[in-house]
Amino acid sequence: MPTPVWKYTENYTGGREGTVVDRIVIHYIVGTLAAADATFADPASGVSAHYGIGEGALHQYVSEMNTAWHAGNWSMNLRGIGIEHSADADRAPDAFTYDTSIELCARICADYGLDPQTQIIPHSSVVPTACPGTVSLQRIRDGVSALL
Ligand SMILES: [Zn+2]
C-alpha cells in the first residue's frame, strides 16, 4: 500500500464528539481521484472523506481522529471512516484501487477491532443513494478477511 498523500480540505469537524469508530463507509467518486480532490478542496461543496483511491494513488483528506462529511448522516459521520474509490456507473475500480482499498481497510479493521464482513458498509446502507455503484463491497470484505 502506498503511503497516503495529504490533500487539502476544510470540510470536516474536529474530533468525533467522543464517538468510537466502528464503521468503514465505502463510496465511489463518479469520476477520478482528481475530481474528488477538487470537490473536497472546495469549501462550498460541504463534503469530504478520510481517504480517496484511484489512478495509482492514495490520498488522505481528513485525519481519522476527525469527522469527515461523507455519509449524509451525522451519527454515521461521527462513527465512520469514509473511503472514496475512483469509479463511474460504467467503470468499475481497477485492480490497484481494489488492492489499496483492501490493504487500507485491513489496517483500519486491525487498529479498531472491526469485523470486515459486518463493519465495512456501503454508503447505500446509510441513506438512499446509488453509491458505491460499481464498487464490489464483497470483493473488499473478502479481501480484508483474507489479510486479517
Ligand atoms: Zn457515497
Side-chain angles (χ1 to χ4, degrees):
M1 187 178 81
T3 301
V5 175
W6 280 91
K7 295 289 176 176
Y8 180 78
T9 188
E10 58 188 71
N11 302 334
Y12 68 94
T13 300
R16 289 181 176 272
E17 299 181 0
T19 307
V20 174
V21 170
D22 67 356
R23 293 290 186 278
I24 298 170
V25 183
I26 300 297
H27 302 273
Y28 79 151
I29 295 167
V30 194
T32 62
L33 187 61
D37 292 350
T39 298
F40 298 163
D42 179 3
S45 76
V47 293
S48 64
H50 292 91
Y51 296 99
I53 306 166
E55 290 74 55
L58 169 60
H59 290 172
Q60 182 163 10
Y61 309 92
V62 177
S63 165
E64 293 176 16
M65 297 172 59
N66 294 328
T67 302
W69 302 344
H70 57 97
N73 173 287
W74 184 242
S75 63
M76 186 57 71
N77 283 342
L78 288 174
R79 69 197 290 195
I81 291 175
I83 304 178
E84 292 281 356
H85 297 73
S86 176
D88 288 286
D90 59 357
R91 177 179 61 89
D94 64 15
F96 169 89
T97 298
Y98 273 118
D99 290 347
T100 301
S101 182
I102 288 164
E103 292 174 26
L104 175 61
C105 287
R107 196 274 297 159
I108 294 168
C109 285
D111 281 358
Y112 296 87
L114 308 185
D115 170 13
Q117 298 297 328
T118 60
Q119 291 176 288
I120 301 175
I121 64 169
H123 189 192
S124 56
S125 73
V126 181
V127 293
T129 172
C131 184
T134 49
V135 179
S136 168
L137 189 74
Q138 202 58 51
R139 177 167 170 171
I140 295 171
R141 285 173 168 168
D142 291 347
V144 173
S145 290
L147 286 180
L148 293 178

